[in-house]
Amino acid sequence: MTLLTDPAINQLMKRPLSDRARGFLRHVQFEGGKVDLSALDLTLNIVAEECRRCGYLHLTAEGETAKLTGLGQAYLDRLMRAH
């Protein structure tokens, strides 16, 4: 397992994430770090997949729940410090 040092996090932060995906990450954070995708619009599943590819969300095997990862939390924390 590789430790995520500042340079490693900086590399991951360079991955492009759309405005909509950043908003979705914030929504997941406000919901306590976990969201039921089956109750959401189908287009949000595409956004959740974008976040998963960057490592910011974990989707359950059934694809019904999205959970914020530690990296996703670090990403949001860094965004908050930047704004």
Side-chain angles (χ1 to χ4, degrees):
M1 183 170 132
T2 305
L3 294 177
L4 289 177
T5 60
D6 280 337
I9 290 173
N10 287 337
Q11 287 299 316
L12 289 170
M13 293 289 289
K14 291 180 182 177
R15 293 183 181 178
L17 198 60
S18 68
D19 291 338
R20 186 171 180 156
R22 282 193 300 271
F24 182 71
L25 276 182
R26 287 188 183 116
H27 172 73
V28 174
Q29 181 185 36
F30 293 143
E31 293 295 320
K34 185 167 113 176
V35 170
D36 181 16
L37 293 175
S38 62
L40 299 177
D41 184 11
L42 182 61
T43 60
L44 287 178
N45 288 335
I46 296 167
V47 174
E49 181 61 29
E50 177 184 349
C51 295
R52 186 203 62 79
R53 283 192 312 266
C54 289
Y56 302 141
L57 279 182
H58 170 75
L59 301 179
T60 58
E62 307 84 32
E64 294 178 357
T65 305
K67 297 179 183 179
L68 190 63
T69 64
L71 184 60
Q73 184 63 52
Y75 179 80
L76 290 172
D77 290 345
R78 177 125 346 147
L79 284 178
M80 292 299 289
R81 280 184 262 149
H83 291 232

